[in-house]
Amino acid sequence: MRHPKLGVVIGYSIPFIPSMLVNVAATDLKFSPPQLFSLCLTGSLVVSALYSFSGDALFKGNFRLLALLLVLMAALVTLVRVIHIDRKQAR
């Protein structure tokens, strides 16, 4: 993996990837406990913020915040695609 820390953050931020698999990958990459904690916290906070703020914005009718969150989600999807393209070029 060319970007192992980013891969672990994305692994923790995608809800349908079991955390156990991400923990095994992080253990194999030999991150220190403080590094692993910060990566887990970063990945979890991103998704938690998106879930909580987007639901709140949708129920309260705050479409400006909802649009901002949709742009943020699109940026995250674009980041994942850029990483995927980068990995293909590295092969």
Side-chain angles (χ1 to χ4, degrees), residues 2-15:
R2 284 181 70 174
H3 309 286
K5 289 182 182 178
L6 190 57
V8 171
V9 168
I10 291 171
Y12 280 118
S13 65
I14 298 175

Side-chain angles (χ1 to χ4, degrees), residues 8-9 12-13 23 35-46:
V8 171
V9 168
Y12 280 118
S13 65
N23 289 339
Q35 279 182 324
L36 186 58
F37 177 76
S38 66
L39 295 173
C40 179
L41 185 68
T42 303
S44 299
L45 280 178
V46 169

Side-chain angles (χ1 to χ4, degrees), residues 30-61:
K30 295 183 174 44
F31 289 121
S32 68
Q35 279 182 324
L36 186 58
F37 177 76
S38 66
L39 295 173
C40 179
L41 185 68
T42 303
S44 299
L45 280 178
V46 169
V47 173
S48 297
L50 286 175
Y51 281 157
S52 64
F53 290 130
S54 62
D56 188 52
L58 189 61
F59 287 131
K60 290 185 177 180

